[in-house]
Amino acid sequence: MIKVSDTAKSRISQLMSEGGYDVGNDFVRVGVKSGGCSGLSYELTFDKALGDSDKLFEDNPVKIVVDKKSFLYLVGTTLEYSGGLNGKGFVFNNPNANRTCGCGESFSL
């Protein structure tokens, strides 16, 4: 399961509305791909269609979709949003990551 903090929920709702997505029906797609300075990097997009290998979760109440391959890397992760002076954006607090890069966009196991 992937959790969504209150700050991330607020920002997701705002961005989805601005992008023409319905927060009640559409969802956030979270994934992992090869790349980044630590080996793996996070992906975050909005989507309306489920794939055959997708897992659907709901937390705080935001719908999150993860493909089966990415799920293995993301289980237990909390999605947060930071809007402070030191950086602005979504942050993945991933208990499975052994090492992360300085910007927080990539990790390794």
Side-chain angles (χ1 to χ4, degrees):
M1 174 167 213
I2 295 174
K3 297 189 182 274
V4 179
S5 73
D6 290 336
T7 54
K9 174 194 167 194
S10 296
R11 186 65 176 148
I12 287 169
S13 296
Q14 178 185 4
L15 290 171
M16 286 183 90
S17 293
E18 290 172 2
Y21 291 90
D22 178 4
V23 178
N25 292 318
D26 300 327
F27 47 83
V28 178
R29 181 173 292 282
V30 180
V32 173
K33 66 179 181 177
S34 295
C37 51
S38 292
L40 298 168
S41 61
Y42 298 107
E43 291 183 304
L44 184 112
T45 59
F46 301 131
D47 205 342
K48 297 178 183 245
L50 287 171
D52 291 336
S53 67
D54 288 337
K55 292 182 174 277
L56 176 65
F57 303 96
E58 190 168 335
D59 185 57
N60 197 14
V62 173
K63 293 178 181 170
I64 305 281
V65 170
V66 181
D67 65 83
K68 285 182 183 177
K69 179 183 168 192
S70 295
F71 177 72
L72 299 173
Y73 298 108
L74 296 170
V75 108
T77 296
T78 300
L79 179 61
E80 299 189 22
Y81 180 79
S82 173
L85 295 175
N86 290 337
K88 190 179 243 187
F90 289 100
V91 177
F92 293 84
N93 287 327
N94 186 344
N96 305 305
N98 289 332
R99 185 177 59 135
T100 60
C101 67
C103 64
E105 293 182 11
S106 68
F107 68 100
S108 65
L109 299 177

